[in-house]
Amino acid sequence: MPSCSVFPVSATGTVMTPVPVHRPPLPILAKINWPEDVQTPDPATAAALAAAAERLVNGQLVAIPTETVYGLAADAMDADAVAQIFQVKGRPATNPLIVHVSDESMAQTLVSQWPDIAQKAATAFWPGPLTVVVPKADVVPDIVTANGQTVALRCPGLISTRRLIELAKCPVAAPSANRSEAVSPTTAQHVLEGLGNRIGMILDGGPCKHGLESTVLDCTVYPPKILRPGPISAAQLTEAIGVEIHESENDSAEQHEGQKKALRSPGNQHRHYAPQTQLILSEDATSLVPQLVAEGHRIGWLSHTPEKPAVRALAASAGLLVVPMPKDPTTYARSLYATLHALDQRGLDRLVVDAVPADSEWAAVRDRLKRAAT
Ligand code: TXA
Ligand code: MG
């Protein structure tokens, strides 16, 4: 473990004996680059994946890229390794983890029943950003499912993530690689900033394609229910499964009710995905922002309409940083967390975010913004 010495000076000015200060080492940051249309990875990528797999086999944690957000991975069948995930994240033991599999046949070793709906969903969207909640098999350690009888399964879209699972020869439990309740990481740098020396290795696969967490579909109820909106929409699920599925918004009232009862998806707590800077979601930011600026607050404004004269007029105000946000939901989703991570470093007093459209294609973004604003 590297150490350095500090030389404390006593009240009389004499230098006292050096006191060693131990700092845990920073994690190994290994780049991986595996384009989807290439059969075998380059040697550096292959070596990084092999080293990461070895860590998983040895019960250690590795932060990994996925097409949604970065995950904090452990061998899902190793309860001690999974316990470290909860510890490193500061995650409540009542919040179950998603188990990542390399393919459908690995998924079926983890379930006591494979519902027809899960089969249809997997056929349509795996590998990809869809998690199915299904009845769990006894082999899945209770810590993974927070003692529940269901398990959340996902086959990730990146070929490198699937190869890692194959190399480790185990399903991989992986929540987002951030401290509990914080904004999920969409780059290796975000993981480093959030978890730093709490972990030993980060695989750096570049920025995540979707930038928001997977859609979570409960396949143990009929009709199946979206527990967390994400990149796969209700309309896409309805079409693939042949059953009408509604976009679940978990709006404030419903969430609050839900929290009083037993939550179906315990991680869907009210406050989540929140930056450190207080975030206000506003239907009328052109009125709110000048008011806050006049009160002396330093404001970051995630504006949906930066081209509007009213916004442009305000943009020159001292203490105001206007961040133009994309107009389409896919690009907005991809950049949202990265924007929040970046603005959190600016020492601002408040972030004001323009409310996004009420259409279903904005459901996932709207869901995350609501939680971040709580
Ligand atoms: O895109 C993703 O899903 C990312 C990447 C890393 O795969 N993972 C992720 O994990 O977002 P996490 O732990 O941050 O969120 C998992 C969500 C939580 O809301 C959790 O409560 C829910 O899935 N969940 C997990 N197991 C469940 C279960 N058996 N029943 C219901 N909800 C479950
Ligand atoms: Mg998370």
Side-chain angles (χ1 to χ4, degrees):
M1 211 173 256
S3 65
C4 67
S5 297
V6 289
F7 293 82
V9 179
S10 75
T12 56
T14 32
V15 175
M16 303 187 300
T17 321
V19 183
V21 178
H22 293 285
R23 295 200 182 91
L26 284 172
I28 296 165
L29 201 63
K31 282 218 188 293
I32 55 172
N33 174 27
W34 192 343
E36 295 299 310
D37 52 352
V38 171
Q39 280 291 307
T40 40
D42 62 67
T45 298
L49 290 174
E54 196 182 327
R55 280 176 181 260
L56 293 175
V57 169
N58 289 333
Q60 295 171 306
L61 306 187
V62 182
I64 58 167
T66 81
E67 80 281 31
T68 56
V69 299
Y70 275 71
L72 183 58
D75 174 355
M77 308 310 268
D78 179 342
D80 293 334
V82 173
Q84 289 178 57
I85 293 182
F86 285 90
Q87 204 213 339
V88 164
K89 278 184 62 89
R91 182 180 178 109
T94 49
N95 190 0
L97 305 177
I98 294 175
V99 178
H100 298 67
V101 294
S102 53
D103 55 27
E104 223 177 272
S105 62
M106 184 184 264
Q108 290 182 16
T109 64
L110 304 172
V111 306
S112 61
Q113 193 203 326
W114 184 240
D116 185 43
I117 286 167
Q119 176 63 61
K120 285 184 176 150
T123 303
F125 302 110
W126 280 7
L130 178 73
T131 297
V132 295
V133 172
V134 291
K136 104 186 208 353
D138 290 341
V139 289
V140 180
D142 290 333
I143 187 171
V144 172
T145 62
N147 290 313
Q149 291 310 303
T150 60
V151 62
L153 299 174
R154 162 161 129 76
C155 177
L158 290 187
I159 190 168
S160 53
T161 317
R162 297 197 301 277
R163 177 54 64 88
L164 174 65
I165 297 168
E166 283 167 9
L167 288 172
K169 298 191 177 69
C170 60
V172 159
S176 50
N178 51 278
R179 293 279 290 166
S180 194
E181 295 197 345
V183 176
S184 297
T186 58
T187 65
Q189 185 62 31
H190 297 156
V191 180
L192 190 63
E193 283 157 13
L195 297 180
N197 48 25
R198 292 168 192 265
I199 55 176
M201 185 177 200
I202 302 174
L203 290 181
D204 180 357
C208 300
K209 175 177 157 198
H210 293 293
L212 284 190
E213 301 82 355
S214 63
T215 305
V216 179
L217 183 69
D218 187 350
C219 300
T220 67
V221 292
Y222 192 88
K225 190 172 187 300
I226 294 180
L227 300 177
R228 179 176 71 183
I232 305 292
S233 68
Q236 284 174 289
L237 288 166
T238 299
E239 192 185 329
I241 296 173
V243 179
E244 182 74 21
I245 296 173
H246 298 284
E247 204 64 78
S248 110
E249 286 269 336
N250 286 321
D251 65 28
S252 306
E254 188 191 327
Q255 251 320 287
H256 198 69
E257 252 338 277
Q259 260 170 3
K260 284 193 259 162
K261 300 174 197 155
L263 281 179
R264 279 212 70 87
S265 193
N268 263 1
Q269 290 140 355
H270 213 36
R271 185 191 146 84
H272 221 100
Y273 315 105
Q276 305 209 315
T277 318
Q278 192 194 334
L279 185 149
I280 303 167
L281 189 56
S282 176
E283 297 280 353
D284 185 19
T286 38
S287 305
L288 177 65
V289 167
Q291 193 184 317
L292 291 172
V293 170
E295 286 167 12
H297 297 293
R298 285 158 307 157
I299 303 296
W301 181 4
L302 281 70
S303 171
H304 215 207
T305 54
E307 72 288 351
K308 281 198 175 159
V311 181
R312 289 169 61 161
L314 285 168
S317 316
L320 177 63
L321 180 66
V322 177
V323 182
M325 292 302 285
K327 299 246 186 259
D328 75 288
T330 309
T331 324
Y332 192 112
R334 192 179 300 142
S335 64
L336 175 62
Y337 287 165
T339 305
L340 296 180
H341 278 286
L343 290 179
D344 248 349
Q345 313 275 327
R346 300 292 288 256
L348 299 163
D349 300 315
R350 304 268 193 290
L351 302 180
V352 176
V353 184
D354 281 343
V356 295
D359 323 351
S360 62
E361 51 176 3
W362 285 90
V365 167
R366 215 164 40 239
D367 170 78
R368 303 309 189 279
L369 286 176
K370 273 187 193 160
R371 290 172 204 286
T374 302

